[in-house]
Amino acid sequence: MTDITRRRSDKKREAIIQAATQAFQEFGVNGTSMDKLAELANVSKRTVYNHFSTKEYLVMHLIKEQWQSALVDINAEYKSDSPLNEQLEELVFQEVSFMCSDSHLELARVAIGHFFYKPEKLKDEVTQLKAQESSLHRWLKKAEADNRLTFEDIEQVVNEIDSLIKGQSFWPQLFKIEDNLSDDDKWRITRNIVAMVLSRYEC
Amino acid sequence: MTDITRRRSDKKREAIIQAATQAFQEFGVNGTSMDKLAELANVSKRTVYNHFSTKEYLVMHLIKEQWQSALVDINAEYKSDSPLNEQLEELVFQEVSFMCSDSHLELARVAIGHFFYKPEKLKDEVTQLKAQESSLHRWLKKAEADNRLTFEDIEQVVNEIDSLIKGQSFWPQLFKIEDNLSDDDKWRITRNIVAMVLSRYEC
DNA sequence: TGAAAAGTAAACTGTTCAGTGTAATATGTG
DNA sequence: CACATATTACACTGAACAGTTTACTTTTCA
């Protein structure tokens, strides 16, 4: 198989993925027939099936692919010589931005539409997502060890911060109840969250 | 039409509603065929259609019916001679209990399953739900007028509290990621939320 | 008891849709 | 050119499913 052949094939494949990504978000997996999809991708239905043997494979491929591209490493080293609010704002802003990013929302929409009535499967996938959230975890631990924050249950704190982030930058956007956030919005939300957290847990 | 006739008819109707409620939660609206439903209700398919002329009518009936039964009036009068934390805890506890009640979760599951890819319709329904949330609103306003709380944007505060409540007593339960909450859990969550809010906004 | 109301079983219609089979065509390689 | 690989058009299968029709039975009640 040569480069050029592969290139044509890859273009078709790309078109399928492109169309599927968009259609699944807009109409849902169930609302998108393979015929419709092929038409949107400007590709014959048979070609779709040559690349993805079943609809389920296509869906799973998309979810995993988008997961990869959505997974931006959020990292913020704890610094004992820098103000807490600045550091935490930096971290929370990254989380807020990630949560309301198109790539993450799109992924969440497809995944939820696909898994909503398959809670066992959903649980597995969510477990993976949780790995993502350990950066905040680590930062809080170090700040506590450094005697600048005090709390009893770190899981509780992470939960609270997570709730504040998602409640303002994820759930409303997921259901298209609220518009996308501007950078100003994100910073405003971030500052309020940090102010709240520090007023409660700062020593 | 006499009482007894109505009684047989009503029993059938009740069985249909009962079966639909359960099946829609478990398998989703799309995952529940009218044949399956009739079988689960121990009723002929035709009888289902005699009571509900289309599947859509049945779905909407259920959503509205459950909405009614779920809508417990949450009320807490602001009292200037009573500690803020006690009052707010009472109020937040009511909201937490409502959010993670079976009736509310069931409603949310059916509604989200039904509306997930119809954002326009969803928006309408959510607007109605928001009326529910004005009790917290009123309480906060009075506490501020009484100079015991200070904040700039009340919407912001309501949003934050709402996020904290739902992030711990609604979303995880909705997706069956977390088990139902015990009363102890609810109080623990409530106390933490109130402590956080007051540490930030109490004068 | 007999008429009206409600329910039942089962076959049927029409549509949507995932997935397949096939024969023809296009594209690129050696 | 000859060969291999991809793509296409399109007809087809088989299943699921919303909603209907029909011929028949049960329940209620005047």
Side-chain angles (χ1 to χ4, degrees), chain B residues 32-199:
Chain B
T32 307
S33 71
M34 294 298 263
D35 289 274
K36 197 172 165 185
L37 178 62
E39 203 192 320
L40 287 171
N42 268 311
V43 141
S44 81
K45 187 180 177 181
R46 203 58 186 81
T47 298
V48 177
Y49 278 100
N50 283 341
H51 283 279
F52 302 97
S53 62
T54 67
K55 195 181 185 181
E56 179 74 14
Y57 277 139
L58 174 56
V59 172
M60 293 310 280
H61 175 88
L62 284 184
I63 290 179
K64 285 184 199 304
E65 192 201 48
Q66 289 176 31
W67 216 302
Q68 292 303 319
S69 80
L71 264 188
V72 189
D73 256 6
I74 291 178
N75 46 17
E77 275 311 303
Y78 172 79
K79 294 171 202 140
S80 59
D81 55 353
S82 168
L84 283 188
N85 67 333
E86 280 178 20
Q87 290 187 59
L88 191 52
E89 273 173 18
E90 179 58 35
L91 185 46
V92 169
F93 183 80
Q94 283 186 54
E95 297 260 11
V96 165
S97 299
F98 171 72
M99 279 296 151
C100 69
S101 66
D102 282 345
S103 55
H104 182 251
L105 285 172
E106 286 162 11
L107 167 62
R109 267 181 217 123
V110 175
I112 289 177
H114 191 63
F115 288 126
F116 196 63
Y117 291 107
K118 302 168 187 167
E120 344 71 53
K121 284 194 181 180
L122 179 61
K123 226 168 183 169
D124 298 348
E125 305 287 329
V126 170
T127 307
Q128 291 183 39
L129 239 196
K130 292 248 167 165
Q132 171 70 31
E133 301 179 333
S134 57
S135 170
L136 178 58
H137 231 96
R138 288 193 301 270
W139 189 90
L140 287 171
K141 255 185 206 155
K142 285 183 186 159
E144 195 207 14
D146 201 21
N147 283 316
R148 295 171 79 194
L149 290 182
T150 111
F151 40 75
E152 280 157 29
D153 180 1
I154 190 173
E155 296 300 335
Q156 171 71 30
V157 182
V158 171
N159 251 326
E160 287 168 349
I161 297 175
D162 194 50
S163 299
L164 286 167
I165 292 174
K166 286 187 183 151
Q168 296 173 90
S169 67
F170 176 65
W171 297 114
Q173 285 72 23
L174 182 72
F175 294 105
K176 302 197 178 178
I177 289 163
E178 298 288 340
D179 294 337
N180 273 1
L181 299 175
S182 69
D183 268 14
D184 279 356
D185 292 331
K186 292 182 209 163
W187 277 116
R188 184 180 44 72
I189 290 168
T190 297
R191 278 191 304 270
N192 276 304
I193 292 174
V194 170
M196 195 144 187
V197 170
L198 291 184
S199 77

Side-chain angles (χ1 to χ4, degrees), chain A residues 51-93:
Chain A
H51 283 279
F52 301 97
S53 61
T54 67
K55 196 181 186 183
E56 179 75 13
Y57 277 138
L58 174 56
V59 172
M60 293 310 279
H61 175 87
L62 284 183
I63 290 180
K64 284 183 199 304
E65 192 201 50
Q66 289 175 32
W67 216 301
Q68 291 304 318
S69 79
L71 266 186
V72 189
D73 256 6
I74 291 177
N75 45 18
E77 274 311 303
Y78 171 78
K79 293 169 201 140
S80 59
D81 56 352
S82 167
L84 283 187
N85 67 333
E86 281 178 21
Q87 290 186 59
L88 191 51
E89 273 173 18
E90 179 58 35
L91 185 47
V92 169
F93 184 80

Side-chain angles (χ1 to χ4, degrees), chain A residues 2 4-5 8 32-35 45-46 49 53-55:
Chain A
T2 69
I4 298 174
T5 306
R8 180 175 67 146
T32 307
S33 71
M34 295 298 261
D35 289 273
K45 186 181 176 180
R46 209 60 184 75
Y49 277 100
S53 61
T54 67
K55 196 181 186 183

Side-chain angles (χ1 to χ4, degrees), chain A residues 135-149:
Chain A
S135 170
L136 177 59
H137 232 97
R138 287 193 301 271
W139 189 90
L140 288 171
K141 255 184 209 159
K142 285 182 187 161
E144 196 207 14
D146 201 21
N147 283 315
R148 295 171 78 193
L149 290 182

